[in-house]
Amino acid sequence: EAGVTQSPTHLIKTRGQQATLRCSPISGHTSVYWYQQALGLGLQFLLWYDEGEERNRGNFPPRFSGRQFPNYSSELNVNALELEDSALYLCASSPTVGQGREQYFGPGTRLTVT
Amino acid sequence: LAKTTQPISMDSYEGQEVNITCSHNNIATNDYITWYQQFPSQGPRFIIQGYKTKVTNEVASLFIPADRKSSTLSLPRVSLSDTAVYYCLVGDIRNTGFQKLVFGTGTRLLVSP
């Protein structure tokens, strides 16, 4: 069974630009979650999508947004990039809400803002 | 979500048993305890989950006392490849709110030869 995949592996942007990160969940999983992990810090919850709808978001500004497609894959968009947005962005998936006992994480996208 | 407290770091040697304790004094009745492992530049990986007493799988054991205010992750005979950060999370897995996992700073385990 294929795991959660993310692309690109690395992304380098300059301040003020926009970044788009992509995630494909495990087949059969409908929930997708996004987390930010800055260097040396713990994971911070960003967004949760299920069945195409945004279900919850963490304490991040509106320039962090995303969407989930009919095939349950997801995009995370970060507008007006700032230097402090440099981090590892992790995507996770789980089965339908109420059924999942754990989240399965992808390898992450390393975003560097210069 | 119940707040958790773990040691920042632990050191061990190959072949030893490692026990990492997590405190969660305000755990709720419906909360489960879950542990994740994370290697550098990788996403966390589910290790084990439990509600009470003891749970064991192929990689670890989870001990939960009767009051459930703490839990201990036990790694038998660690190897160098067990060097990682271990996170303890507490929450109601049936509640949609748990879908946003709240990770603390975790415990950084260093296994030496």
Side-chain angles (χ1 to χ4, degrees), chain A residues 25-96:
Chain A
I26 291 173
S27 177
H29 287 187
T30 63
S31 278
V32 171
Y33 318 83
W34 288 95
Y35 294 86
Q36 180 197 66
Q37 186 172 34
L39 189 64
L41 299 179
L43 284 81
Q44 301 294 318
F45 168 74
L46 266 168
L47 291 160
W48 167 35
Y49 292 95
D50 184 70
E51 298 284 0
E53 300 286 333
E54 181 181 302
R55 302 294 185 181
N56 206 342
R57 67 179 293 129
N59 296 323
F60 282 84
R63 58 191 187 83
F64 286 84
S65 65
R67 54 180 174 169
Q68 186 178 34
F69 300 99
N71 66 354
Y72 303 115
S73 66
S74 177
E75 271 185 2
L76 173 68
N77 296 293
V78 187
N79 295 318
L81 285 166
E82 300 179 1
L83 296 179
E84 52 266 33
D85 296 332
S86 295
L88 179 68
Y89 288 84
L90 292 160
C91 170
S93 74
S94 75
T96 303

Side-chain angles (χ1 to χ4, degrees), chain B residues 62-105:
Chain B
L62 178 60
F63 298 92
I64 305 169
D67 65 5
R68 304 201 324 121
K69 294 184 182 299
S70 67
S71 59
T72 299
L73 173 72
S74 181
L75 305 172
R77 295 183 297 280
V78 294
S79 63
L80 297 178
S81 62
D82 292 317
T83 293
V85 178
Y86 293 82
Y87 295 95
C88 163
L89 295 90
V90 174
D92 184 354
I93 64 171
R94 302 166 302 171
N95 189 311
T96 57
F98 187 64
Q99 299 299 327
K100 61 166 187 177
L101 294 179
V102 178
F103 287 80
T105 54

Side-chain angles (χ1 to χ4, degrees), chain B residues 52-67:
Chain B
K52 63 180 179 180
T53 63
K54 177 183 175 181
V55 179
T56 298
N57 61 22
E58 63 276 10
V59 298
S61 294
L62 178 60
F63 298 92
I64 305 169
D67 65 5

Side-chain angles (χ1 to χ4, degrees), chain A residues 1 3-6 23-26 29 31 33 35 90-95 100-107, chain B residues 36 43-46 101:
Chain A
E1 176 184 275
V4 176
T5 59
Q6 294 185 242
C23 171
S24 292
I26 291 173
H29 287 187
S31 278
Y33 318 83
Y35 294 86
L90 292 160
C91 170
S93 74
S94 75
R101 294 173 64 89
E102 62 189 82
Q103 294 184 9
Y104 297 82
F105 284 80
Chain B
Y36 280 78
R45 182 176 71 99
F46 173 89
L101 294 179

